[in-house]
Amino acid sequence: MKKKIFSLLTVLVTTAVLIGCGQQDAELTEFQTNMDAFCTKVSEIDVSINSIDADAEDAVEQLLGKLDELEQLFQGFSALDFPEEFDYLEPIAAESGEYMKTAVASYHDAYSNDSYNEYTAEYARENYYRAYKRVKIILSFLHGETPEGVNFEEQ
């Protein structure tokens, strides 16, 4: 009788764990899919930005358009629902989205009125790098690595 109860409890616990893991696996799979899509799209936008002919008449408009796409992408990234074991990374993702939002707005300001403001562009560049730095930190943690000497104020 004890063996039957023990066997039944073992089966129930195993079933509960497997069901829980199945739900968690689905959540992790969806998250991984979203992260892969984010990284792929960032890479595509990066290639597009780097392929803009700086001498083209509409180069600034092309650049700002791609940066707008990048901002939207980062806003989606910052709104991602991280799996429970990675919840601690959500505030870093939110910061990344805010830095990219500031960067893109500053780039628009830097190129406004048919002129170029070097100081505003530098401010935009700093925010741009800070946004990417946070993504790199998140990716490090997701890969099981702990970045050493994380200082969010450095570029």
Side-chain angles (χ1 to χ4, degrees), residues 90-148:
E90 285 184 2
I92 301 170
E95 287 177 3
S96 179
E98 285 302 311
Y99 276 119
M100 187 57 72
K101 182 178 180 180
T102 301
V104 173
S106 297
Y107 275 122
H108 276 274
D109 288 345
Y111 287 102
S112 64
N113 301 322
D114 294 322
S115 65
Y116 176 74
N117 184 311
E118 183 178 336
Y119 299 108
T120 306
E122 180 58 32
Y123 178 71
R125 195 170 12 267
E126 287 175 15
N127 282 281
Y128 183 86
Y129 288 126
R130 288 179 179 166
Y132 271 101
K133 181 175 186 173
R134 280 150 179 78
V135 170
K136 288 178 186 178
I137 289 168
I138 289 170
L139 291 175
S140 292
F141 279 114
L142 292 176
H143 286 110
E145 303 164 3
T146 303
E148 291 184 29

Side-chain angles (χ1 to χ4, degrees), residues 15 21 25 28-29 33 44 49 61 65 76 81 86 89 99 115 129 134 138 142:
T15 302
C21 287
D25 286 347
L28 284 172
T29 299
T33 300
E44 290 171 0
I49 287 173
E61 290 80 17
D81 185 23
F86 298 113
L89 297 173
Y99 276 119
S115 65
Y129 288 126
R134 280 150 179 78
I138 289 170
L142 292 176

